[in-house]
Amino acid sequence: MHTLELTVNGQGHKVEVGLKTTLLEVLRDKLHITSPKVGCNTGDCGTCSVLLDGVLVRSCITNALSVQGKSVTTLEGIIEPGDIHPLQKAFHENYGSQCGFCTPGMILASKALLDANPSPTRDEVKEALSGNLCRCTGYVKIIDSVLAAADEMKS
Amino acid sequence: MYPSGMSGGGDSSQAMVKVQPDGSAVVTVGSCDIGQGCKTIMAQITAEVLGIDYEAVKVVNDDTDNCPLSFGTFASRVTYVDGLATKLAAEDARRILFEVAAVMLECSEDELEAIDNQIRVKGNPDKALPIGEVAGAGTFGMRKLILGLGHYMRDPAAMDPETGECDPFCTLAWAASYAEVEVDTETGEVEILRLVNSYDVGKAMNPTHLEGQIDGGATMGVGAAMSENLHPFYPSLDFQPDNLGDYAIPTTMDVPDMESVIYECPSTNGPYGAKGIGEMTANTPGPAIVNAIHDAVGIWITNLPATPEKVLRALDAKGA
């Protein structure tokens, strides 16, 4: 076992992990942060996505010890004091979620996009979300939601 | 054209609507919500029947140990079958409210209507009581349990042994898809430029949900037509995909510009004329895409998905 020190959503943690432990296992099983979902566990679907020092990564194929000393943001970490994040609000208002299983990854991928590009075009949103699979929505209202959130966050 | 619910009859759902002493309602149904809006629709129906706010209805459908019987969430049946059961249950609960209100307002039950969070005498808005007051008086004053029960099941359809004639369907919905594609005759790649999907929903109870359902189903149809293949070498099971990297469901980049068109041709017996379209939304895009490929380059793809390999082979065969 090895000691992993990391910051999750602004809070420091120290956990014991094995050489093959993934970041997703640390988040869900050790820290009980459950917004990152176990989807495919092969890096294909994107519902385990988290932000690692602001960069979108798939936590299911990220080795836990590789994030030593780094800062992780999950969906829980983007909720603003007293209110949900504009992206969450936009997904809610635009019906950007049906079963909801892809939603945590979708919102974090959208946040990574909007952090880098606050005024994306529809095609840029499509590209940014292309690594996150959704089986329910056909993506149309997810893309609508991201564009609505971008408008909201600018104003 | 597609039926709502299990064909052949016998498809059963039950619902319970309990009106609380404050006039809010709790609906219990057995069909779970897998994201397409069972909770929303049952709450809408109950709110409509009881004349209360949508926000005042809670739907419990999370535990099959405690919920009434339902055959389940499949076969485009929830809005239709559970919707009818919920409507019956809400009407039953409303009947009990009317019994109580008739005493309080000194009128007959037939004269009453439930609207705007009130039970009132039809055509006489001054003679009205807040629904919470009626429910409270019924519960504590008259010691009633304001619980409405509903069970919808279409009779099993008998078949004429001579002719095979039978009336197996609750209702039938109609649909059409339109596709524009571009075929690269060099590589065999097909790009879908535009996809319009039009569905006869009977009555659009929740247009936003319906659009989401149509978009989602169309995308499954695009996947089936273009990339998803469970048995690439059928009947051999070799190279069967076992992860989402190999089984290629559409991503944001694979979905064309889509338009969802809702058409309302009411069913005779569905709740408020509604029909179920859940399942059929995945069915129409494939044929439209195949027809568009034929229209573009004159080949028929008879075995989905329409991979570049199959397109090139068909083009070769046509040229030969």
Side-chain angles (χ1 to χ4, degrees):
Chain A
M1 296 301 270
H2 302 262
T3 303
L4 165 68
E5 287 185 50
L6 78 170
T7 306
V8 182
N9 301 331
Q11 201 182 335
H13 294 277
K14 194 185 274 191
V15 289
E16 294 296 309
V17 299
L19 286 171
K20 290 184 175 175
T21 308
T22 66
L23 175 56
L24 180 59
E25 286 164 348
V26 170
L27 293 170
R28 289 184 61 91
D29 302 340
K30 306 247 181 210
L31 303 178
H32 307 297
I33 293 170
T34 52
S35 78
K37 301 287 177 244
V38 186
C40 60
N41 234 0
T42 50
D44 290 308
C45 77
T47 192
C48 67
S49 299
V50 298
L51 300 176
L52 185 61
D53 288 341
V55 178
L56 191 72
V57 299
R58 278 138 207 265
S59 62
C60 77
I61 51 168
T62 301
N63 186 285
L65 286 166
S66 74
V67 307
Q68 190 72 261
K70 294 191 178 176
S71 172
V72 175
T73 306
T74 69
L75 187 68
E76 288 88 346
I78 70 163
I79 297 172
E80 293 171 357
D83 203 1
I84 56 175
H85 190 273
L87 270 165
Q88 292 172 298
K89 200 176 280 180
F91 269 67
H92 177 219
E93 286 171 0
N94 293 277
Y95 193 45
S97 169
Q98 285 186 29
C99 86
F101 200 78
C102 74
T103 310
M106 285 290 180
I107 290 186
L108 286 172
S110 308
K111 183 171 187 310
L113 167 70
L114 296 185
D115 286 348
N117 175 5
S119 311
T121 63
R122 200 170 180 90
D123 282 345
E124 285 169 339
V125 176
K126 277 189 179 183
E127 198 168 344
L129 299 182
S130 60
N132 292 67
L133 297 178
C134 169
R135 194 52 156 166
C136 304
T137 62
Y139 306 105
V140 178
K141 292 194 188 300
I142 291 179
I143 298 164
D144 291 347
S145 304
V146 178
L147 291 169
D151 279 349
E152 174 68 26
M153 287 160 76
K154 267 182 290 177
S155 61
Chain B
M1 191 174 67
Y2 214 74
S4 305
M6 286 159 66
S7 300
D11 188 1
S12 184
S13 275
Q14 300 173 330
M16 302 191 290
V17 172
K18 160 94 166 65
V19 178
Q20 307 288 49
D22 66 354
S24 66
V26 179
V27 187
T28 320
V29 291
S31 290
C32 65
D33 199 326
I34 50 174
Q36 284 68 28
C38 172
K39 276 180 192 276
T40 310
I41 296 295
M42 298 316 135
Q44 281 183 258
I45 290 173
T46 304
E48 178 75 20
V49 172
L50 296 178
I52 60 178
D53 294 335
Y54 169 80
E55 289 77 13
V57 184
K58 184 183 174 198
V59 179
V60 179
N61 63 341
D62 315 308
D63 183 351
T64 45
D65 280 349
N66 292 321
C67 289
L69 172 82
S70 162
F71 280 18
T73 303
F74 64 94
S76 317
R77 65 185 292 286
V78 172
T79 296
Y80 189 94
V81 184
D82 285 66
L84 281 170
T86 298
K87 188 161 176 278
L88 288 169
E91 286 165 355
D92 195 30
R94 187 179 62 187
R95 177 186 57 75
I96 301 170
L97 286 171
F98 284 175
E99 280 175 19
V100 176
V103 176
M104 297 169 80
L105 290 167
E106 297 177 338
C107 64
S108 87
E109 291 158 33
D110 316 337
E111 293 174 72
L112 294 168
E113 63 181 350
I115 193 165
D116 294 338
N117 298 308
Q118 291 180 328
I119 308 286
R120 71 184 189 198
V121 176
K122 285 178 207 162
N124 186 356
D126 296 336
K127 222 175 160 191
L129 288 167
I131 192 160
E133 208 171 297
V134 177
T139 304
F140 299 115
M142 302 183 196
R143 300 186 187 183
K144 282 179 185 289
L145 173 60
I146 307 171
L147 177 66
L149 306 175
H151 185 179
Y152 181 78
M153 183 180 86
R154 193 172 191 275
D155 289 337
M159 189 186 285
D160 185 320
E162 295 292 318
T163 62
E165 189 182 328
C166 164
D167 179 18
F169 303 125
C170 285
T171 182
L172 288 167
W174 301 81
S177 284
Y178 165 85
E180 278 175 28
V181 303
E182 199 170 84
V183 183
D184 187 327
T185 52
E186 193 115 2
T187 64
E189 283 172 298
V190 176
E191 190 185 354
I192 306 166
L193 303 174
R194 187 169 172 231
L195 190 60
V196 182
N197 304 292
S198 171
Y199 286 87
D200 162 23
V201 303
K203 168 74 184 171
M205 286 202 190
N206 192 313
T208 310
H209 277 202
L210 284 164
E211 282 170 14
Q213 200 161 38
I214 296 171
D215 293 339
T219 304
M220 291 186 200
V222 168
M226 304 308 297
S227 59
E228 294 174 30
N229 200 347
L230 209 49
H231 302 114
F233 297 96
Y234 185 81
S236 162
L237 300 185
D238 291 348
F239 299 100
Q240 191 175 15
D242 61 2
N243 62 63
L244 286 169
D246 294 339
Y247 186 80
I249 80 167
T251 71
T252 48
M253 304 298 276
D254 304 310
V255 175
D257 280 337
M258 293 201 296
E259 199 181 322
S260 298
V261 182
I262 293 170
Y263 175 73
E264 292 181 314
C265 174
S267 62
T268 48
N269 51 353
Y272 306 101
K275 301 173 180 179
I277 61 154
E279 227 172 60
M280 69 193 293
T281 52
N283 295 352
T284 55
I289 291 163
V290 167
N291 286 344
I293 294 172
H294 178 259
D295 190 48
V297 291
I299 57 167
W300 284 115
I301 300 294
T302 54
N303 180 356
L304 294 176
T307 57
E309 181 190 338
K310 286 182 199 162
V311 171
L312 283 182
R313 285 186 193 281
L315 284 169
D316 275 354
K318 185 189 159 228

